[in-house]
Amino acid sequence: MADRIAKIERKTRETDITVELNLDGTGSFDVECDIQFLKHMVETFARYSNIDIRMRATGDNDHHLIEDVAISIGKAFAKAFDDSPIERMATATVVMDDAMVMTSLDIVDRPYCETDIPDPLYQHFMRSFAMSAGITLHILQFRGFDEHHIIEASFKSMGKALCAALVKRDTELSTKDKVKVN
């Protein structure tokens, strides 16, 4: 089986981003980013998903950088993903102080995203990631009042769910088998 590794470079007038992913990693990270909170969230995502991430990201403002980082990570995820059978669907719940957040996802080429994240920029991050990665992503907030804790618990629960969904299987987990497009 081939390594599930990818590198994406995204350069626009607004951002300059390089992302390298290893889906079969150990959660190591090397992240440089103009937004320190986004850097922290990408590192948290790497740790909880066991996906190795190396990223360099600069941009002209928070909205552009957050969106383009999400797109870049999503595209790298899709590129690194191979056709080997995996668990595909997973759910993970994380508590962090006042916050309790659950993520359910399906790694299937039907991108969709619903999230209860209270910050529109990080709602947009999750939506941009899901659309670029081609996954179905639902993030529910059960409790919480501190936005930092809610957002961080969202990245942690998404990471844990992806870690579980990426586990390789011997057989395809679908009644349709593999979809073939001509």
Side-chain angles (χ1 to χ4, degrees):
M1 244 176 255
D3 291 332
R4 299 187 297 177
I5 296 171
K7 180 178 181 180
I8 295 289
E9 293 180 12
R10 180 181 175 88
K11 292 180 192 219
T12 69
R13 287 187 305 193
E14 301 158 339
T15 62
D16 186 353
I17 301 166
T18 302
V19 174
E20 297 175 48
L21 294 183
N22 178 356
L23 299 184
D24 299 310
T26 61
S28 69
F29 52 82
D30 177 12
V31 177
E32 292 179 15
C33 182
D34 291 347
I35 303 170
Q36 290 306 300
F37 185 68
L38 179 58
K39 174 185 185 324
H40 177 44
M41 292 304 97
V42 171
E43 291 171 347
T44 297
F45 172 68
R47 181 65 49 144
Y48 281 77
S49 66
N50 277 344
I51 296 172
D52 294 343
I53 299 177
R54 185 174 192 277
M55 184 182 88
R56 303 292 176 261
T58 61
D60 64 350
N61 66 47
D62 288 1
H63 176 86
H64 293 150
L65 191 56
I66 289 169
E67 176 180 40
D68 284 7
V69 163
I71 290 169
S72 298
I73 292 172
K75 286 185 179 290
F77 180 90
K79 185 177 177 182
F81 189 71
D82 64 11
D83 285 338
S84 60
I86 57 168
E87 287 298 323
R88 201 185 104 185
M89 295 171 277
T91 298
T93 302
V94 168
V95 294
M96 182 176 173
D97 300 335
D98 57 286
M100 182 172 148
V101 176
M102 179 182 75
T103 296
S104 289
L105 55 83
D106 187 359
I107 302 174
V108 63
D109 194 20
R110 290 190 305 268
Y112 184 81
C113 181
E114 286 288 335
T115 174
D116 291 341
I117 296 173
D119 184 319
L121 287 175
Y122 287 94
Q123 279 184 5
H124 192 51
F125 178 98
M126 295 303 184
R127 186 165 289 107
S128 297
F129 169 75
M131 296 302 132
S132 298
I135 67 171
T136 299
L137 177 66
H138 292 267
I139 300 175
L140 300 172
Q141 173 195 340
F142 293 110
R143 299 197 189 309
F145 53 83
D146 184 305
E147 286 190 10
H148 177 117
H149 295 159
I150 296 164
I151 295 166
E152 188 166 347
S154 297
F155 275 85
K156 288 177 177 179
S157 65
M158 182 176 68
K160 288 179 72 63
L162 273 174
C163 184
L166 285 167
V167 171
K168 293 180 181 177
R169 295 174 45 93
D170 292 331
T171 59
E172 191 68 36
L173 186 59
S174 174
T175 56
K176 298 178 186 178
D177 202 17
K178 288 187 189 274
V179 176
K180 293 179 179 34
V181 179
N182 295 323

